[in-house]
Amino acid sequence: ATNGNGDSGYSNESCSTTPGTAPTPSIIGVTPNPVNDVNAAQQFTINGSNFVSNATVTLRDLSTVPIQVFPNRAISSLSSTQIVINPNFTVALHSWDVQVINPGSVPSNRFPFSVVSPDLVVENVTFTPASVIAGNSFTIGFDVRNTGPGNAPPTQARLRLSADNTLTSSDLPLSPLDVNIPAVATGASTHFSG
């Protein structure tokens, strides 16, 4: 087909587009760091820059032989400066790293972190009054100190009365048997009285 001038109306010029290359992502930190040893999914936030839509996250467990690689982790939230995933790091106290890969296989730096465990110690146990007749009430007080490298999430302390220095499930349970203990940061302590 031609127009009145004999031209086809089509150009001999070609048009092509070259997709732009994604920027290089950079990780500057993760939260939490270190990660607590919890055998359940937990929020893990990757902070940095140049994260783009369709980026992927790869985790590596560096303490295994061979190194275990967990590519394409599900992303629950993504912005140019923050990615949130919800992995299960289990209770293995291992060294890990994380890497963000932008489309076109553009990788970030590998950012190291560790999975650690809290270590709760009960100390300074007191009873008021110091002795009590069976069936009467008393108040117990104690401190819970976290001596481990990981923050302790909220937990419970089980209260039992023992005739010796060894606690067993056959020792008499106190009422209440379990008491709530709030989260305890590493190096910190909390006091219970009740």
Side-chain angles (χ1 to χ4, degrees):
T2 60
N3 64 16
N5 297 329
D7 296 326
S8 67
Y10 296 99
S11 170
N12 289 334
E13 296 176 19
S14 64
C15 181
S16 65
T17 59
T18 304
T21 304
T24 301
S26 176
I27 301 174
I28 60 172
V30 298
T31 304
N33 190 12
V35 174
N36 274 347
D37 64 333
V38 176
N39 195 14
Q42 58 182 304
Q43 184 171 305
F44 184 73
T45 303
I46 304 158
N47 299 299
S49 60
N50 295 329
F51 304 148
V52 299
S53 180
N54 297 319
T56 62
V57 174
T58 297
L59 294 171
R60 290 178 191 83
D61 185 344
L62 305 175
S63 298
T64 59
V65 178
I67 292 172
Q68 288 186 300
V69 179
F70 303 93
N72 301 316
R73 306 315 302 163
I75 294 174
S76 59
S77 171
L78 182 142
S79 74
S80 64
T81 60
Q82 191 174 81
I83 296 175
V84 177
I85 60 175
N86 296 286
N88 180 347
F89 291 108
T90 74
V91 295
L93 307 181
H94 287 184
S95 296
W96 291 73
D97 75 25
V98 62
Q99 186 174 38
V100 173
I101 298 98
N102 276 347
S105 299
V106 181
S108 73
N109 54 307
R110 289 168 56 171
F111 193 89
F113 62 96
S114 296
V115 175
V116 296
S117 179
D119 186 6
L120 298 179
V121 177
V122 175
E123 54 192 10
N124 304 321
V125 179
T126 60
F127 298 94
T128 306
S131 63
V132 65
I133 298 171
N136 287 353
S137 296
F138 64 94
T139 299
I140 185 171
F142 57 88
D143 297 324
V144 176
R145 185 167 48 98
N146 184 356
T147 63
N151 294 327
T155 189
Q156 290 188 321
R158 179 154 283 178
L159 306 179
R160 292 188 177 277
L161 183 61
S162 179
D164 54 32
N165 288 331
T166 305
L167 287 174
T168 67
S169 60
S170 62
D171 289 330
L172 295 174
L174 298 178
S175 179
L177 177 60
D178 296 319
V179 295
N180 293 326
I181 304 298
V184 184
T186 186
S189 64
T190 187
H191 182 75
F192 172 84
S193 181

